[in-house]
Amino acid sequence: DIQMTQSPSSLSASVGDRVTITCRASQSISNFLNWYQAKPGRAPKLLVYAASIVQSDVPSRFSGSGYGTEFTLTISSLQPEDFTTYYCQQSDSSPWTFGQGTKVEV
Amino acid sequence: QVQLQESGPGLVKPSETLSLTCSVSGGSVSSGSYYWSWIRQPPGKGLEWIGYVSYIGSTEYNPSLKSRLTISVDTSKNHFSLRLNSVTAADTAVYYCARVGRGYNYGFWFDPWGQGTLVSVSS
């Protein structure tokens, strides 16, 4: 199985900060990397697919980049509703696997 | 817009079968453009992909669960289902259903997701 490792596991930030989360794959996964936002008790939300394509209803402050084994999710100016947990997920090969999550805290 | 909703028992006894259904509204499971998937998250742990089914019933399963797992689709009811046999406490988790988008050179992604349902395995 392809292992996905996110860093950091948690981070402290303030409203307005620029935040970057990294996801590393144990082997090359081309651009088959997605990012999700998860809030307790709610359906997780797709933010970015194919490494850099921002889903249509996602605010423009979210962006993704990377190829191969290293990927980043960037929030350009953190908003109050962004304090939650983010996951990466690879679909290069089955079984599809997720990172362990990054919790963005105040 | 497409919405998904999980339903099923919240408590299952060890060694019995966990059965969940995902009802789809605002869209059709008969669409050939998508797969339909299950994902779970044990308490305090990360997300685990379980498997998916296509509208014609073809499936792909996580090998870690394959021997106990059946995912099926019912186009007449516009829903798809999960059956996991011989459950143990390790199967306690929030179970999510999701639609799988796909594109050549884009891979596969989960969107949207259901809200999730907690299933506890306990006697």
Side-chain angles (χ1 to χ4, degrees):
Chain A
D1 299 3
I2 296 177
Q3 305 302 315
M4 306 301 294
T5 304
Q6 289 181 231
S7 60
S9 295
S10 65
L11 64 90
S12 296
S14 301
V15 172
D17 284 353
R18 181 182 181 88
V19 167
T20 298
I21 300 168
T22 297
C23 180
R24 290 186 173 86
S26 59
Q27 64 189 69
S28 178
I29 57 170
S30 182
N31 66 327
F32 299 148
L33 189 284
N34 310 313
W35 290 98
Y36 302 90
Q37 179 189 66
K39 296 184 177 183
R42 296 180 63 177
K45 180 179 180 178
L46 174 70
L47 299 176
V48 173
Y49 65 97
S52 62
I53 302 175
V54 179
Q55 181 66 332
S56 57
D57 59 346
V58 172
S60 58
R61 63 182 179 273
F62 290 91
S63 63
S65 65
Y67 188 90
T69 62
E70 188 157 333
F71 302 85
T72 59
L73 174 71
T74 300
I75 310 172
S76 60
S77 178
L78 206 60
Q79 298 302 299
E81 61 268 29
D82 301 335
F83 289 94
T84 188
T85 303
Y86 297 85
Y87 294 91
C88 62
Q89 173 247 327
Q90 66 83 19
S91 68
D92 178 76
S93 63
S94 182
W96 300 336
T97 48
F98 291 85
Q100 82 280 12
T102 295
K103 188 172 185 178
V104 177
E105 301 175 296
V106 177
Chain B
Q1 69 194 45
V2 176
Q3 293 185 308
L4 289 77
Q5 179 66 57
E6 306 88 351
S7 61
L11 181 64
V12 181
K13 290 182 167 55
S15 79
E16 295 190 346
T17 297
L18 183 161
S19 296
L20 295 173
T21 295
C22 182
S23 299
V24 179
S25 59
S28 173
V29 296
S30 298
S31 170
S33 299
Y34 303 102
Y35 297 145
W36 305 92
S37 190
W38 290 96
I39 301 136
R40 70 180 184 179
Q41 185 170 31
K45 296 189 177 181
L47 294 160
E48 179 182 33
W49 172 68
I50 297 172
Y52 70 70
V53 63
S54 75
Y55 77 105
I56 57 171
S58 58
T59 56
E60 177 82 15
Y61 295 154
N62 191 320
S64 69
L65 298 168
K66 188 173 183 177
S67 64
R68 300 189 290 131
L69 181 63
T70 302
I71 299 177
S72 58
V73 64
D74 188 332
T75 56
S76 67
K77 296 181 179 178
N78 209 34
H79 73 207
F80 61 105
S81 301
L82 164 76
R83 286 176 57 88
L84 185 65
N85 301 328
S86 306
V87 297
T88 69
D91 295 309
T92 293
V94 175
Y95 286 76
Y96 297 97
C97 58
R99 186 180 70 175
V100 181
R102 53 192 175 130
Y104 184 72
N105 282 340
Y106 292 161
F108 302 86
W109 56 91
F110 304 113
D111 179 58
W113 299 52
Q115 199 165 344
T117 186
L118 174 63
V119 179
S120 299
V121 179
S122 174
S123 55

